[in-house]
Amino acid sequence: MTSFTPPDPFTTRPTLQGSFGMSASTHWLATASAQAVLERGGNAFDAAVAGAFVLHVVEPHLNGPGGDMTGVFATADNPSEPVVLMGQGPAPAAATREHYLAEGLELVPGAGALAAAVPAAVDAWLLLLRDHGTWELGDVLAFAIGYARNGHPIVGRVGATINAVKDLFIEHWPTSADLWMPEGRVPAEGDIVKNEAYASVLDRLVSAGLPDLSREERIDAARREWREGFVAQAAVEFIKTPHRHSSGQDHAGVMSLEDFAGFEAGYEQAATLRFRGYTIAKTGPWGQGPALLQTLAILDGFDDERLDPSTAVGAHTILEAQKLAIADREAYYGDADVPLDYLLSAEYAEQRRALITDRASVEFRPGTVPGHSPFIPPLRTEYTPPALAGKLAFAGVGEPTVSRSGETRGDTCHIDVVDKWGNMVSATPSGGWLQSSPTIPELGFCLGSRLQMTWLEEGAPSSLEPGKRPRTTLTPTLILKDGKPVVALGSPGGDQQDQWQLLYILRTIVGGYTPQQAIDAPSLHTTSIPGSFWPRTWEPGGAVVEDRLGDEVIADLEARGHTVTRAGDWALGRLSSVVSDPSTGVLMAAANPRGAQGYAAGR
């Protein structure tokens, strides 16, 4: 502990402590809704589902019903077995490389229906509620229905996102303008915003379950209505009409009723790694989660002083380890045969660790895996679609980064809940942003854009293939100790999600920080990786840091060869977490102060 930089005694909020239940998320209304469920006798799963549907309403620029989610959880009945909730839909049957190339595309677009995987978030949340919750669907959805029908005060970032794409809405996506720019005006912070169409969708899902059915059968009836009924029909019919994509061209979508009906969310075994006495649980390599495990395996061979993000040698070591792990993500991960046991082995980690020197690498360096050829992606430092050459400059609006074409680079939502019985869940819902594609007017939401994480090149484990899941960035974390869940953790942030979570893990497990101290501490990440989001560029040697890291540390990083971008004092990271200490019964929670939107609650 002594070799670590001491935590700042000041924290922006307290680490909450209690014994009844804790909730934390990226928006206070979702946190409050989840906590209200706990107060009324619901368990962590009831609470998380209620909060998640509220996130659809109050953070529509960061997630939506047409998107996706991944979760990792443990139950009080089986605490030692972390389970992945798989809510990532696949590519539609007609989403072939040949079709996209014939449409004149070099990359899967970042906005528009050709970027849409089969919507999966709603089915996943309903599956979790059916199997592990206790409440009726109507009671769980009442919070979201109320905010959608009666309105809620909108946060400023929603309006800023709408403002960035208002020309696209007005000129090309009139249904989106109708919903998000009522009376032709971008909503201001604090304006009451309603979504009657989505409230009606949720009402219809609830009413699909007839009174004479069991609770589980009523929830399954809602799932069938979503996959096979009016939602699928409205979406499929709407995207038949060509509309503007981020390519600068008009295309029709390719999703069918059969695609909707053919997908069901499910459960999977978590990928895990032991680190300093803890078990870290992540999704499988169809997501980026195991890259965090690879990074920890590399770092585990260093002394504690090399794991301190607040020092120059620690920050450098962490950045270099992440580059190596994420290069393997690009080379080997996907909905395919991934040699994960080898990639997570101590022997392989030792080989990778040996590549770290005192100089920043500016190369793309995947490892060598017996029997597998690494995919080397196009390493572009900039990209403009031919149709947009000389016509469009990207307009960033902070978090998330949104262009006028609707392309979004990587922000989302997160929610964590722990209850008094020992159930714990960490979940990252995303996709279906209001700027993903045109609003489907009968539904009040649009489809997602997750297929932008697939390649149109042949031979990649994450190449676009019908029926295959895109290699998602959504990556919640569950941490176990002595066979019991002790931390649920996550963050929005695209390619940065696991990079920011890594700092929390190192600071709490190795450095002894409290949850809020770890969340508040200065953050950093590498951009020396191919981006998962369109236009999929990279910055060789790039590192982004918060200024609070300090001039001396930043200068040292630059001297080592990192191309450092200063992001401001409070700019990086959207972490939230809940914590359980089984030995004392104490529960804790903490949330991110950056952006003044995330909150924790509990008692």
Side-chain angles (χ1 to χ4, degrees), residues 282-367:
K282 303 292 288 183
T283 70
W286 51 268
Q288 71 168 330
L292 173 62
L293 305 183
Q294 283 193 244
T295 308
L296 286 169
I298 294 169
L299 293 175
D300 202 18
F302 289 111
D303 293 337
D304 287 2
E305 64 200 39
R306 297 286 297 270
L307 307 187
D308 184 350
S310 297
T311 66
V313 67
H316 168 76
T317 304
I318 289 164
L319 289 167
E320 294 305 293
Q322 288 175 329
K323 292 178 195 176
L324 294 169
I326 296 173
D328 282 346
R329 180 194 78 177
E330 294 303 314
Y332 298 112
Y333 288 20
D335 195 3
D337 178 24
V338 180
L340 191 58
D341 287 346
Y342 185 85
L343 292 171
L344 293 179
S345 68
E347 296 76 17
Y348 183 69
E350 186 176 3
Q351 296 173 29
R352 303 294 275 160
R353 191 180 307 120
L355 296 176
I356 298 176
T357 69
D358 61 358
R359 294 290 301 169
S361 171
V362 295
E363 299 174 5
F364 179 76
R365 300 188 291 177

Side-chain angles (χ1 to χ4, degrees), residues 74-162:
T75 64
D77 293 336
N78 193 11
S80 64
E81 294 295 326
V83 179
V84 170
L85 175 60
M86 196 289 293
Q88 177 55 65
T96 63
R97 290 179 57 253
E98 293 74 18
H99 175 73
Y100 285 57
L101 294 170
E103 291 278 306
L105 298 168
E106 297 172 307
L107 289 167
V108 176
L114 281 183
V118 178
V122 167
D123 192 60
W125 286 119
L126 297 186
L127 176 69
L128 184 70
L129 180 67
R130 183 195 72 181
D131 293 343
H132 297 290
T134 63
W135 275 28
E136 290 288 346
L137 179 60
D139 295 330
V140 168
L141 296 185
F143 300 87
I145 292 171
Y147 287 128
R149 176 160 290 127
N150 304 322
H152 70 283
I154 202 166
V155 295
R157 188 55 60 207
V158 179
T161 301
I162 296 168

Side-chain angles (χ1 to χ4, degrees), residues 68 70 88 282-283 286-289 329-330 409-412 428 430 433 450 453 470-476 491-498 501 530-533 536:
D68 26 58
T70 63
Q88 177 55 65
K282 303 292 288 183
T283 70
W286 51 268
Q288 71 168 330
R329 180 194 78 177
E330 294 303 314
R409 300 191 202 181
D411 213 352
T412 178
T428 309
S430 186
W433 305 293
R450 190 63 58 183
M453 295 179 179
R471 200 263 310 134
T472 181
T473 52
L474 305 180
T475 179
S491 174
D495 289 313
Q496 288 79 56
Q497 289 181 28
D498 273 337
Q501 291 180 70
S532 295
F533 291 85
R536 311 212 68 175

